[in-house]
Amino acid sequence: TVTASTDTLKLDGASAADTLSFNGAAGTVELGAAGSLTLGAALAQDAGIVKLDGGSAALTDNAGITLTSGTISGAGTVTGAITVSAGGTGFITANDNGTAGTLEIKSAIVDNGGQLTLTVTASTDTLKLDAASAANTLSFNGSSGTLELAATSGTLTLNSALSIGAGKVVLDGTGAALT
């Protein structure tokens, strides 16, 4: 349990738990470069932050992840369907703090609230989507960076117009699509 908005739980190795709670509030769970967390029950992220520090950092929750107004950021791998609550906002940000990094979302993203914001922060950052996904907006944060959609089922449907600027969109195969 992450109890308060100022609390950080940092995991630097392989970890597993049945549940993770943000106690109905904010706070941060940080997965170090070699850190991983596998959860058994669905994660209700509320306003919490899950930060992946690159390398082999990984969050796995096959029961699903629900964002109310929380954030998933950094570089690493997230496995488990992500759902943004109706009326909620959520943020998924590829950001590896100046080193080349990829934030890979292996499962679908469902934006029930129509307010999910995807961001690729810097030219060295990549946001890779491996499954059917939806979001309100995608921003390259005023710079370049890469959105990569996987070959067989990496799709992204946006509610708002996309301004690519100096960014790059990579469609890995015939099953990849950007709408």
Side-chain angles (χ1 to χ4, degrees):
T1 299
V2 179
T3 306
S5 61
T6 56
D7 292 345
T8 297
L9 172 63
K10 184 170 184 184
L11 304 172
D12 287 321
S15 304
D18 185 49
T19 62
L20 171 64
S21 170
F22 285 92
N23 208 27
T28 301
V29 172
E30 184 175 353
L31 302 174
S36 65
L37 177 59
T38 300
L39 296 171
L43 170 61
Q45 199 168 327
D46 302 315
I49 298 168
V50 174
K51 184 177 182 297
L52 295 94
D53 289 344
S56 59
L59 171 64
T60 301
D61 190 343
N62 290 320
I65 300 164
T66 301
L67 292 176
T68 302
S69 59
T71 300
I72 296 172
S73 69
T77 303
V78 177
T79 303
I82 299 170
T83 302
V84 179
S85 303
T89 58
F91 304 90
I92 297 176
T93 304
N95 177 2
D96 201 26
N97 299 319
T99 61
T102 297
L103 178 59
E104 182 174 7
I105 309 297
K106 290 189 163 279
S107 305
I109 301 171
V110 177
D111 187 12
N112 289 329
Q115 296 297 316
L116 177 64
T117 299
L118 304 175
T119 305
V120 180
T121 303
S123 63
T124 56
D125 296 329
T126 298
L127 176 61
K128 183 176 182 183
L129 304 177
D130 292 349
S133 300
N136 185 41
T137 62
L138 169 67
S139 167
F140 287 96
N141 208 33
S143 68
S144 57
T146 303
L147 168 68
E148 182 177 354
L149 300 172
T152 56
S153 60
T155 63
L156 177 60
T157 301
L158 295 170
N159 293 338
S160 299
L162 173 62
S163 176
I164 297 172
K168 180 169 55 172
V169 175
V170 176
L171 304 176
D172 287 342
T174 58
L178 174 63
T179 306

